[in-house]
Amino acid sequence: MSTLQRIPKTLQPIAPRPPENPYDGSHVDHPRAARKRTRASKPKVRTGCKTCKIRRIKCDETKPICQQCSKVRVVCDGYDYPPRCNTSPKSNPSSPSRSLSATGNEYSTEDIPYVDFFRYQLIEEFAGYSCTDFWSRVVLCEAMNRDCVRHLVLAIASLSKAISEASKEKRPSPLSPWTHSLVANTNHARSLQHYVKGLSLFRRQYITADIKSPRAVLIMTLLLITFELLQGGMDSVDTLLTTSIHLLRGSLAHFFRNDDQEPPTKKRKEDDVSDIEHMLPFLSITGGWTPFLKTQQANLGIWDTSLLLGNVPSLEGNTSPMLLSPSHGVYRAVLLHLAQWQTVLDSALTKARPPLRKEERDALQVMRLHCQMTKIGIECCLDTTDTQWDAYDSDFDALVRDCLALAISAKTINNTKGLHGKWTMQMGILSTLGPAIAKCRNHDIRMHALEMARRMPWREGTWDAEAELYGKLGAVLLEERGRDPLTGKVKAENRWTWVDGNWDSSKSTMFGKYAKNLPDQNGQPVFRTLKLGLDKWPDICGEIGCEVDHAAECRVLD
């Protein structure tokens, strides 16, 4: 990506891309259009795609995405019956390697299983609890128009297949990433080939100005980051995030701006840009709270968080404006905003008509969990002693149990089709379990959250459950050792926070750096380093003589 960093070009503000053909033959504004038409005397085709059948137009039966759907930029829902042998109207049967053409790009016969795997299995996994159509619509449509995106889709699909084929001990993670010098299997090799082709085409098209839209740069960047996150290549993720921030700084609305700086071009509502624009700051901000993306910690100040205090939707489809007086301040403004969201989410879950589908209900429940945990964090963040968290034990207990119910539900569904990438772009329940582990000093609730988190089979955004847990375990261990045997409480002077860590996978060890929440008598910060083994779960309960089986309710996730 160093080539991109040297380019002195300034991208124009993001503008929504108009559809190539917003109308098909069924939209005719002519007086004679109302006349009854007579069907042509041709045999009815029953092997077209589902979308064309619904639209009542003739399907050309190109696979995996028919041209009728791709040219009007709608999702092609595939075929009920096997298509005819000549899957492309212009294909040459005598050709030794037939290809499936779609708007100028070609999927080879070998590519088809990977494209289907991406469309019918990975898309739902990557979206997680979110209802975004970034994967199902934006990426698939862009892949039909740009070779570089098409190669990245194939790279991600083949890498996910490679991960599903690997044993649990050899799957990639930030602790043991896959690299080009250590190819795991055939599908991993194939994914690297597509990755290199896609990146090379992207560089070439960017340098020659074939790619001018920040939208295209953003989509390609998110795909590159996805590939590296699946591989566990956190250094590459850090570089990609920093480079894309440099390229798109003048184009996205989420960057912090001075009063004399012009905002980016106003976008139409419901455009795909408004749906994907937040993904870059989301990955950068969440990555800044991990020990793997150190550059993003320095980037936390460039994002304009005031955009988070926007309008709150209602069940009637309109929005409630956020009315604040100057006396509120940021602290009260955020709490008021969260309270409004809490009201809307509670109403949506209990009063929505018609009844919600399961995926919609799960998405709203995750949003409610995030809202509740964020509210607790905001109310406690100004307490330097870290003891205000103790007043929320009952809230933590309810949140952890809600997380368990969601995790069991997800496992029940995914057991029927299997997890492949074990990764999602959006945040799920790990962001709720994390504070429960780090800030809740009730031993039983904390250990319940720990046992659940260690059984999570996926990663969320830039967060990896395994890596994050080993870092937090050191702080939990120090606090449990300092727990008062008489009162059972952890005093303020015995509370610790994980601030950094270094992993040595070859020796199965982690060196964690921890800071005491209160300074010493001279006002100086107190740090401590712990060495933890990665191949053995520490006996935290044994440190205080606890005999409760905190994993009893969580074993259903094994």
Side-chain angles (χ1 to χ4, degrees):
M1 297 299 293
S2 59
T3 304
L4 296 179
Q5 292 174 321
R6 294 196 298 267
I7 298 174
K9 178 168 40 174
T10 302
L11 292 169
Q12 297 299 318
I14 284 185
R17 166 185 271 178
E20 295 179 6
N21 184 10
Y23 300 101
D24 57 34
S26 61
H27 294 75
V28 181
D29 298 326
H30 194 277
R32 289 180 295 180
R35 296 181 183 177
K36 186 175 180 180
R37 298 180 179 180
T38 304
R39 179 184 296 273
S41 57
K42 295 181 180 180
K44 187 174 182 179
V45 178
R46 300 183 181 274
T47 55
C49 75
K50 300 176 184 177
T51 306
C52 287
K53 289 180 181 179
I54 294 174
R55 296 175 62 207
R56 297 182 179 275
I57 62 175
K58 181 175 176 58
C59 180
D60 55 66
E61 300 178 40
T62 301
K63 196 177 179 185
I65 301 175
C66 79
Q67 295 185 32
Q68 290 283 18
C69 292
S70 63
K71 72 180 181 180
V72 294
R73 302 175 68 82
V74 299
V75 176
C76 181
D77 290 326
Y79 301 86
D80 281 327
Y81 303 97
R84 293 173 294 188
C85 294
N86 55 334
T87 52
S88 175
K90 299 181 180 179
S91 62
N92 181 8
S94 61
S95 174
S97 176
R98 285 186 297 171
S99 60
L100 305 177
S101 176
T103 62
N105 293 334
E106 295 183 347
Y107 285 111
S108 70
T109 306
E110 296 177 351
D111 293 337
I112 295 175
Y114 295 93
V115 177
D116 287 344
F117 178 66
F118 183 89
R119 294 182 64 216
Y120 298 117
Q121 299 188 54
L122 291 182
I123 281 177
E124 186 174 352
E125 291 181 23
F126 288 175
Y129 292 106
S130 172
C131 295
T132 178
D133 63 352
F134 172 70
W135 298 103
S136 61
R137 184 178 64 84
V138 177
V139 171
L140 289 180
C141 288
E142 197 71 9
M144 302 305 297
N145 296 313
R146 298 189 187 277
D147 284 333
C148 56
V149 176
R150 177 169 56 89
H151 280 294
L152 258 296
V153 167
L154 293 172
I156 292 170
S158 48
L159 176 60
S160 299
K161 273 187 172 291
I163 294 173
S164 65
E165 294 170 356
S167 61
K168 184 178 180 180
E169 296 76 18
K170 294 184 178 180
R171 287 173 182 166
S173 74
L175 303 183
S176 55
W178 283 3
T179 64
H180 66 280
S181 59
L182 186 62
V183 179
N185 51 43
T186 304
N187 276 318
H188 185 208
R190 183 184 182 89
S191 71
L192 292 172
Q193 292 172 357
H194 282 296
Y195 180 84
V196 171
K197 288 180 182 178
L199 183 57
S200 177
L201 285 170
F202 178 56
R203 280 201 183 112
R204 188 186 314 155
Q205 293 172 4
Y206 188 89
I207 293 173
T208 58
D210 289 338
I211 292 182
K212 301 178 182 178
S213 167
R215 172 186 179 277
V217 175
L218 179 59
I219 292 172
M220 190 64 184
T221 300
L222 292 172
L223 293 177
L224 292 168
I225 290 173
T226 296
F227 183 90
E228 294 296 350
L229 284 171
L230 287 173
Q231 274 204 136
M234 304 306 284
D235 289 340
S236 297
V237 172
D238 206 10
T239 301
L240 285 165
L241 280 171
T242 302
T243 303
S244 59
I245 288 171
H246 171 75
L247 289 175
L248 298 169
R249 179 153 193 148
S251 305
L252 301 180
H254 293 77
F255 286 103
F256 182 81
R257 288 176 170 78
N258 299 323
D259 294 336
D260 57 346
Q261 291 178 291
E262 294 184 3
T265 303
K266 187 177 180 180
K267 302 177 288 296
R268 294 194 304 264
K269 292 183 179 180
E270 304 303 327
D271 190 81
D272 54 18
V273 172
S274 63
D275 190 40
I276 66 177
E277 189 180 16
H278 74 281
M279 291 183 177
L280 187 64
F282 163 75
L283 292 172
S284 177
I285 292 172
T286 56
W289 293 96
T290 72
F292 300 105
L293 306 180
K294 299 184 183 300
T295 307
Q296 303 316 308
Q297 296 174 10
N299 288 336
L300 289 174
I302 69 176
W303 304 109
D304 186 3
T305 55
S306 66
L307 293 177
L308 300 176
L309 302 180
N311 293 335
V312 180
S314 69
L315 291 179
E316 288 73 29
N318 53 5
T319 57
S320 305
M322 185 70 180
L323 301 177
L324 298 175
S325 67
S327 61
H328 273 89
V330 175
Y331 180 80
R332 291 197 62 190
V334 173
L335 288 178
L336 178 59
H337 194 67
L338 290 171
Q340 291 177 345
W341 267 108
Q342 188 74 42
T343 301
V344 171
L345 293 171
D346 289 343
S347 298
L349 286 167
T350 58
K351 302 177 182 178
R353 294 292 182 274
L356 298 170
R357 293 177 298 163
K358 185 184 184 307
E359 55 267 28
E360 295 172 337
R361 177 170 293 278
D362 287 349
L364 289 173
Q365 286 178 337
V366 169
M367 291 176 65
R368 184 168 64 174
L369 290 175
H370 292 170
C371 189
Q372 292 171 336
M373 186 58 77
T374 303
K375 179 177 180 292
I376 295 173
I378 295 296
E379 291 177 341
C380 299
C381 67
L382 299 180
D383 177 23
T384 57
T385 66
D386 221 29
T387 56
Q388 192 168 344
W389 295 89
D390 298 348
Y392 294 92
D393 282 354
S394 59
D395 299 86
F396 278 122
D397 187 41
L399 287 170
V400 171
R401 294 189 179 280
D402 287 343
C403 287
L404 179 61
L406 273 171
I408 293 174
S409 175
K411 179 178 174 61
T412 302
I413 294 175
N414 288 323
N415 268 349
T416 61
K417 59 187 178 183
L419 287 167
H420 304 91
K422 297 185 178 294
W423 175 84
T424 172
M425 177 74 82
Q426 307 295 328
M427 297 307 295
I429 62 178
L430 289 179
S431 56
T432 301
L433 292 176
I437 296 169
K439 298 299 183 181
C440 178
R441 271 73 184 198
N442 180 295
H443 176 77
D444 291 334
I445 299 173
R446 165 183 271 180
M447 294 307 299
H448 190 191
L450 265 172
E451 291 293 344
M452 191 191 319
R454 68 183 292 199
R455 288 167 168 81
M456 292 295 98
W458 57 80
R459 289 173 279 158
E460 297 174 356
T462 57
W463 290 7
D464 178 84
E466 181 183 13
E468 296 288 328
L469 276 183
Y470 278 111
K472 289 180 170 61
L473 275 175
V476 173
L477 200 57
L478 290 172
E479 290 184 351
E480 293 299 330
R481 290 172 178 173
R483 188 179 291 274
D484 191 321
L486 297 178
T487 64
K489 303 290 186 180
V490 178
K491 297 181 179 180
E493 60 268 23
N494 291 325
R495 303 194 178 198
W496 298 80
T497 300
W498 174 43
V499 295
D500 201 358
N502 292 303
W503 287 261
D504 188 344
S505 299
S506 62
K507 297 181 180 179
S508 296
T509 56
M510 187 211 77
F511 293 90
K513 184 178 180 181
Y514 302 90
K516 203 173 227 184
N517 287 3
L518 296 181
D520 61 14
Q521 296 179 348
N522 299 321
Q524 298 299 315
V526 179
F527 296 99
R528 186 169 177 180
T529 301
L530 283 183
K531 179 182 177 182
L532 297 174
L534 301 179
D535 54 355
K536 185 179 179 181
W537 188 262
D539 185 12
I540 296 176
C541 288
E543 294 280 340
I544 61 173
C546 175
E547 298 181 355
V548 177
D549 183 9
H550 300 99
E553 297 180 48
C554 305
R555 289 196 179 93
V556 67
L557 300 175
D558 290 337

